[in-house]
Amino acid sequence: MRQQLSDQQHATVYQYRLTKRLVIKRELIQSHFIIIAIFLGFQLMAYGIQGLVAWFAGFAAIQLFHIVILLITFIRVEEATDRKWIWRINPPWIGFKPANDISLTLFRRVHRHLFWVGLCAIALLYPWIPVSYMISLVSWHAWLIVPRLLLAFYFRKQPKDGVLRLQSFEASYYLI
């Protein structure tokens, strides 16, 4: 019994208090996928087979852009380097997302960098790539990042020292 008490004295207990939860409805996710299907239809009608190739190449290129931008951001943002990020295809968090809980300020900062640096990188390519690829890059970038920016906007009034947890169909904000 004495051993159990000494083990409990050294245990760390984290207490989080849920302050706000956002449940993402299936209809919203379905409309998000309808938008990308409309985009594919536009690419096919306007550019034919080149539009289809641009659509697939744009997705792959944006994923590559996002990982490079995240790695560069992690060099700049010290506390982001110890966080683990994973690539998932779980709607609405398609692409790279934090594997565990993440502070709200870090989430905002990383995604703000991702949005603006991504747009600037795409704009730099403008003179050298065809229009269908340019449209594809901008559309995929916006389509992938908008749910995260809306999430940051939704939690904007919450205290900045809390923790954000992303799950399949919900996002929860906890105060420490």
Side-chain angles (χ1 to χ4, degrees):
M1 182 160 172
R2 194 170 269 201
Q3 179 64 27
Q4 288 176 341
L5 287 176
S6 74
D7 288 343
Q8 288 176 354
Q9 288 174 350
H10 298 293
T12 306
V13 177
Y14 295 100
Q15 302 230 345
Y16 295 106
R17 183 172 47 99
L18 177 65
T19 59
K20 196 162 188 179
R21 175 175 282 158
L22 173 65
V23 177
I24 300 149
K25 297 180 181 173
R26 290 193 182 272
E27 295 85 16
L28 185 63
I29 293 172
Q30 290 169 350
S31 65
H32 193 63
F33 278 105
I34 288 171
I35 290 170
I36 206 64
I38 290 170
F39 166 60
L40 173 62
F42 169 76
Q43 285 283 72
L44 284 171
M45 286 182 4
Y47 301 106
I49 199 75
Q50 182 186 5
L52 180 66
V53 171
W55 192 76
F56 283 112
F59 180 75
I62 286 301
Q63 293 301 318
L64 184 65
F65 276 175
H66 283 187
I67 190 64
V68 168
I69 293 167
L70 283 172
L71 290 174
I72 291 170
T73 303
F74 292 162
I75 292 170
R76 177 142 164 52
V77 180
E78 306 83 36
E79 62 267 15
T81 56
D82 61 328
R83 300 289 183 198
K84 194 174 183 185
W85 288 64
I86 53 175
W87 191 82
R88 294 280 186 231
I89 304 182
N90 297 348
W93 322 120
I94 297 173
F96 292 96
K97 73 176 202 90
N100 301 322
D101 300 344
I102 186 170
S103 75
L104 184 60
T105 55
L106 180 60
F107 181 83
R108 286 180 181 162
R109 187 180 313 158
V110 166
H111 285 89
R112 190 173 45 241
H113 281 104
L114 187 62
F115 177 71
W116 287 112
V117 174
L119 279 181
C120 291
I122 293 168
L124 287 174
L125 297 175
Y126 175 70
W128 297 286
I129 62 174
V131 175
S132 63
Y133 286 89
M134 187 67 180
I135 292 171
S136 181
L137 289 173
V138 170
S139 299
W140 274 115
H141 179 66
W143 188 82
L144 289 168
I145 204 79
V146 160
R148 298 148 196 250
L149 293 177
L150 289 174
L151 185 66
F153 181 76
Y154 181 77
F155 290 116
R156 74 188 180 284
K157 293 182 181 178
Q158 299 302 314
K160 300 192 182 328
D161 59 344
V163 174
L164 186 65
R165 177 178 292 163
L166 300 177
Q167 296 168 338
S168 293
F169 293 103
E170 70 180 38
S172 304
Y173 179 77
Y174 296 90
L175 277 178
I176 299 173

